[in-house]
Amino acid sequence: DAATLLWALATMGIKAGPGLLQAMQKRATATAAQFEPHDIANILWALAAMGITPEPGLLEPMQQRATATAGKLQQQDVANLLWALACFDISPSAESVQMVESLSVSTGKRLNVQGKGQLHQWLLFCDLHPEWRGQLPRSMQKVKEELGGAFRQAFAREAPRTSQTQADVAKQLRLALPELECEEEFVDPTSGYSIDIRAAKSGA
């Protein structure tokens, strides 16, 4: 099915061709009301991991289905789903807050490294979002206080993954501006965060 195929391609680091992606997204849009929560999280995570913006018409039914079945979401599904929404620059919502509120200290700490790292990125996205900057809901502040440190440590430990889109951009930069040195996944020594592409003049 669409969810399994997209998830498998993204997990293997393969970016599907335009025709297949269009067909899979149309299929997912048409059958969104039948998806299990795990399928929704996998589809959106796969598209985000491949650097693909969902086609118009896909996100709304997927979000509606996710909201309707939120009580069945597993912790890893929550991490995958929220990370994907941040990648698509979808504004934080009351529904996403409820998903985060479902995390307790014990369940949050049981997440794998990838899941913790994804939630760190989502919390960072919320911190920087114009609508939420400096005024996170108290429930999210509580999650951040209790689990934020563990999430950040997991994010710092996880090896950066280069997306196909990132590799394509770096390749075009090197071709267009050969005087620049393009370093992918440059790690800032102060913050510990990685930068997708760091471009600097040769010898700088």
Side-chain angles (χ1 to χ4, degrees):
D1 58 20
T4 302
L5 179 57
L6 287 171
W7 176 85
L9 290 171
T11 299
M12 293 185 291
I14 300 172
K15 186 175 182 178
L20 178 60
L21 281 171
Q22 185 178 43
M24 289 295 96
Q25 291 192 70
K26 284 185 177 179
R27 173 66 177 168
T29 301
T31 58
Q34 304 169 22
F35 281 132
E36 293 296 324
H38 184 66
D39 297 323
I40 297 168
N42 277 352
I43 288 174
L44 296 182
W45 174 85
L47 292 174
M50 288 189 282
I52 296 165
T53 301
E55 290 192 351
L58 174 62
L59 273 176
E60 184 175 351
M62 296 291 276
Q63 287 183 280
Q64 289 175 347
R65 181 61 177 166
T67 300
T69 59
K72 299 180 181 178
L73 282 168
Q74 300 298 314
Q75 303 307 321
Q76 190 61 48
D77 297 329
V78 170
N80 288 347
L81 182 57
L82 293 180
W83 177 80
L85 294 177
C87 289
F88 303 142
D89 198 23
I90 303 298
S91 297
S93 64
E95 291 76 18
S96 57
V97 172
Q98 290 175 356
M99 292 181 197
V100 172
E101 287 175 344
S102 70
L103 293 171
S104 65
V105 174
S106 58
T107 58
K109 288 185 176 179
R110 286 200 301 269
L111 281 166
N112 63 23
V113 172
Q114 180 186 4
K116 292 176 182 176
Q118 288 173 336
L119 286 173
H120 168 72
Q121 292 175 79
W122 187 77
L123 287 171
L124 185 62
F125 169 75
C126 293
D127 271 336
L128 298 174
H129 196 279
E131 296 177 13
W132 285 34
R133 186 179 297 137
Q135 50 184 3
L136 291 179
R138 177 56 196 155
S139 57
M140 281 182 59
Q141 285 284 10
K142 185 172 184 293
V143 170
K144 189 174 179 181
E145 291 166 4
E146 294 177 343
L147 296 168
F151 290 169
R152 191 184 189 287
Q153 288 177 8
F155 176 78
R157 289 200 310 268
E158 190 176 12
R161 293 185 299 173
T162 302
S163 68
Q164 186 60 52
T165 300
Q166 178 181 327
D168 291 343
V169 170
K171 179 180 179 180
Q172 292 304 316
L173 277 174
R174 293 184 181 106
L175 290 173
L177 301 167
E179 70 276 14
L180 294 182
E181 288 183 354
C182 294
E183 182 180 355
E184 297 179 60
E185 299 301 345
F186 171 80
V187 178
D188 177 68
T190 302
S191 67
Y193 292 128
S194 64
I195 299 170
D196 287 351
I197 303 172
R198 176 178 179 264
K201 289 185 177 181
S202 299

